[in-house]
Amino acid sequence: MKGWFVLALFLNLWTGLSAEESFITNDEYAKMLYKNPRGIGCGNCHGQKGEGKVLSEFIKNGKRYAVTAPAIYNLPMKRFKRALKQPSKLMPEYFLTEKEMAYLYFYLLKQNPKKGKK
Ligand code: HEC
């Protein structure tokens, strides 16, 4: 039963997309991008709303260290884009367009309406 629903939804999306280019809104597109940006989803590391997350912890010489992905919903746009364009040791490279980066940026702002910019 559930399978049929998913199939119907998929077909609906499929035909919808070919019939009309702007079938999904910018918000929906941004949400999809955030979850599946042609690679591992941002939320896996940065949290569902970009609030930041501890990825791993380890102990070295008796001291505790944490590997974290920082909060990314409250950065200046320039810094947000720069981070996505420059290679990093921990974060994958995504090759997003300027528009896609902007969509992601505003998507995260909207996910955190009360917190605002830093
Ligand atoms: C594998 C984990 C991982 C994934 C997936 C990931 N990031 Fe990151 N990101 C990091 C880490 C760790 C940092 C900390 C800086 C560094 O080491 O690059 C970071 C840094 C950033 C920064 C800079 C933050 C600052 O304070 O300047 C931005 C912006 C960012 N990520 C956005 C994204 C977006 C958008 C996506 C999805 C398209 C994404 N990241 C996917 C791990 C990840």
Side-chain angles (χ1 to χ4, degrees):
M1 197 62 198
K2 200 174 168 199
W4 281 113
F5 176 72
V6 172
L7 183 67
L9 193 70
F10 178 74
L11 285 174
N12 199 5
L13 272 174
W14 185 261
T15 50
L17 276 175
S18 52
E20 194 189 325
E21 241 184 294
S22 58
F23 176 69
I24 56 172
T25 65
N26 290 353
D27 271 1
E28 287 164 340
Y29 181 56
K31 189 176 177 185
M32 271 169 48
L33 257 186
Y34 189 68
K35 288 192 173 160
N36 190 14
R38 297 196 288 275
I40 172 174
C42 319
N44 288 324
C45 291
H46 291 283
Q48 283 318 302
K49 294 183 175 182
E51 69 276 18
K53 208 167 128 175
V54 175
L55 300 179
S56 176
E57 283 180 310
F58 61 95
I59 293 171
K60 192 174 163 189
N61 299 331
K63 223 177 140 191
R64 196 177 194 93
Y65 295 89
V67 182
T68 55
I72 53 168
Y73 64 84
N74 54 1
L75 303 170
M77 169 97 81
K78 250 189 175 171
R79 180 167 160 179
F80 186 85
K81 287 187 172 178
R82 201 189 315 126
L84 284 165
K85 287 184 220 169
Q86 71 191 12
S88 140
K89 280 187 190 149
L90 291 170
M91 190 166 125
E93 222 174 325
Y94 286 99
F95 308 102
L96 299 169
T97 65
E98 289 289 318
K99 231 180 179 174
E100 285 172 332
M101 287 187 266
Y103 282 164
L104 281 171
Y105 183 83
F106 289 115
Y107 171 71
L108 288 172
L109 270 188
K110 271 195 181 167
Q111 295 302 302
N112 300 277
K114 288 195 194 104
K115 295 173 187 168
K117 280 193 190 179
K118 236 180 213 168

